[in-house]
Amino acid sequence: MHELSIALSLVELAAEAAANAGAERVATVHLRVGALAGVVPEALQFSFAIAARGTPLEDAQLAIEALPTVIFCACCDADRALPTPGSFRCPVCGTPSAAIRQGRELELVALTLAAPVPAASGP
Amino acid sequence: MTTRLLEIRAGVLSKNDRLAAALRERFQAAGLLVLNLVSSPGTGKTALLERTLAALVAAGARPAAIVGDLATDNDARRLARSGAPVRQIETDGICHLEAAMLAAQLDAAGWALDELDYLFIENVGNLVCPASYDLGEQLRVALLSATEGEDKPLKYPVIFNSADAAVITKHDLAGPCAFDHALAVSNLAAVRPGIPVFTTSARTGEGIATWLAWLAERRAELRQPGPGVQS
């Protein structure tokens, strides 16, 4: 299981971006995970909670957008999403294709930053 | 609580990927063909490499190998008998190799890359985790042994899809294991259409000459200017 390694990389990347933006806390981490990224979302959620401890990402939500594999079918001259991971054939015409258009993504898309609570103004 | 959205759009493994890209440039500049061998434990990566390194050394080529394992330097000691320079990475429990581990090992070895022809990286035996980590290799080769069964590519499509070539190993055991070779090849093609497949036995030497000829061709290609390069 390498999801803990990936979670540590994710926390490092996100914490750095949050610090550069002057944020003290991250509320949500928005991630895109392709079907060919080799990452199990449940395992990543579990690992993320551990990796985030003691960082500005502690208790942040990890919002994972799962992307299907998309191949380019030369026969149809079109991009086609694959319904199953084990076969790289066009689901419409059956032509095999090694042209991967989408599916390898493991991308930190955005962070929802919790704005610091404004200091209470005096009377 | 007020919130704001900060757009980032960066690969989670971008640090590894940048390092891998820098390594690939170094390999390319040195005319060094680098292969990342991935398979489950016990497929015969080391046995294939023993044969390959010995044959390359005998033919006057200059191969080297870096092997990754969770523990022990057994594989490095086996491979060093070929006479090729070999380094062992003990990952101490980590289930895959990363570009930083490879870079550190290359620095420690102090090899002059332009004095090598081939570098074989034997990844940790694992069909899941190594798929995510680019090591800067030009070619990723996935191994499948006759003893494992024909359906491994269907069970682990991500790693087989990421491979540039596949090697069927232990083919001398195909009979006792009732290994259906045609089915294995068709399963490989299902998850990675067009993949070149080599059928080998490190014990009998079956298929090794074809595998070596393919390696030599791939290396010769490195030395030729790409299609976009004008002379």
Side-chain angles (χ1 to χ4, degrees), chain A residues 87-116:
Chain A
S87 171
F88 288 75
R89 284 178 178 277
C90 172
V92 177
C93 75
T95 304
S97 170
I100 308 291
R101 288 289 168 88
Q102 176 186 281
R104 300 201 195 280
E105 295 80 1
L106 180 55
E107 186 189 36
L108 173 56
V109 180
L111 298 175
T112 303
L113 303 175

Side-chain angles (χ1 to χ4, degrees), chain A residues 1-2 5-6 9 12-13 17 21 31 35-37 85-86 88 96-98 104 106-115, chain B residues 1-13 15 95-96 98 128-129 132-133 154 157-158 161-162 190-193:
Chain A
M1 177 176 124
H2 63 311
S5 297
I6 288 173
S9 297
E12 188 186 337
L13 187 67
L31 194 68
L36 294 175
F88 288 75
S97 170
R104 300 201 195 280
L106 180 55
E107 186 189 36
L108 173 56
V109 180
L111 298 175
T112 303
L113 303 175
Chain B
M1 183 178 73
T2 59
T3 61
R4 65 190 167 103
L5 194 70
L6 176 67
E7 194 172 324
I8 297 182
R9 303 195 72 91
V12 171
L13 298 178
K15 196 186 245 181
C95 53
H96 58 271
E98 298 184 10
V128 182
C129 313
S132 302
Y133 290 88
L154 303 181
V158 170
N161 178 264
S162 77
V191 299
R192 171 62 172 82

Side-chain angles (χ1 to χ4, degrees), chain B residues 144 149-151 153 168 179-190 197:
Chain B
L144 164 70
E150 307 83 1
D151 60 351
I168 294 173
F179 176 72
D180 185 338
H181 182 265
L183 180 59
V185 172
S186 106
N187 287 342
L188 284 164
V197 180

